[in-house]
Amino acid sequence: QEFFGREHHHIPSTNPGVNRIGQGMDRPEQFCTGGEGKRLRWAVARAPHRHVNTPILHALFYDAPSKQDLKEEHGQIMLEPGKIYEVVMQNYPACNGVCETHPWHLH
């Protein structure tokens, strides 16, 4: 959980591909203060889910124009066929201080 305002993600500026949790002021707990225009959102890879008009799998399969809107800073990570990827689930305490669990699945 992190509070997001106008920013689209909290991906750390230093080593964003190596450590998405961040260090120091880039860590998620630094974004637990609400305020005007900020909403508490769940984030994956430090980016909250962003609703798209065309379902992602349809956009990819049918090569729809909306495919161009799929970006890592929006939480969509493109993988290449035939490659092996290691997925690391690294949980951190939510804004209430509790390290909650959540079931996951991948498409």
Side-chain angles (χ1 to χ4, degrees), residues 57-95:
L57 294 177
H58 288 215
L60 293 171
F61 185 79
Y62 295 109
D63 201 25
S66 60
K67 181 173 124 177
Q68 305 307 315
D69 296 332
L70 302 176
K71 298 179 180 161
E72 195 169 339
E73 59 264 18
H74 298 155
Q76 296 109 11
I77 300 170
M78 301 299 288
L79 306 177
E80 294 179 38
K83 289 199 170 191
I84 297 173
Y85 293 88
E86 182 176 334
V87 178
V88 177
M89 302 296 206
Q90 186 174 8
N91 204 3
Y92 54 86
C95 289

Side-chain angles (χ1 to χ4, degrees), residues 1-2 4 9-10 41-49 92 104:
Q1 285 180 324
E2 300 176 47
F4 289 87
H9 63 80
H10 293 153
R41 309 275 309 266
W42 289 100
V44 174
R46 304 294 305 276
H49 173 72
Y92 54 86
W104 287 94

Side-chain angles (χ1 to χ4, degrees), residues 94-105:
C95 289
N96 62 4
V98 176
C99 199
E100 302 170 353
T101 59
H102 184 79
W104 287 94
H105 70 275

Side-chain angles (χ1 to χ4, degrees), residues 11-21 72:
I11 299 171
S13 56
T14 57
N15 298 326
V18 176
N19 181 357
R20 283 287 176 101
I21 294 295
E72 195 169 339

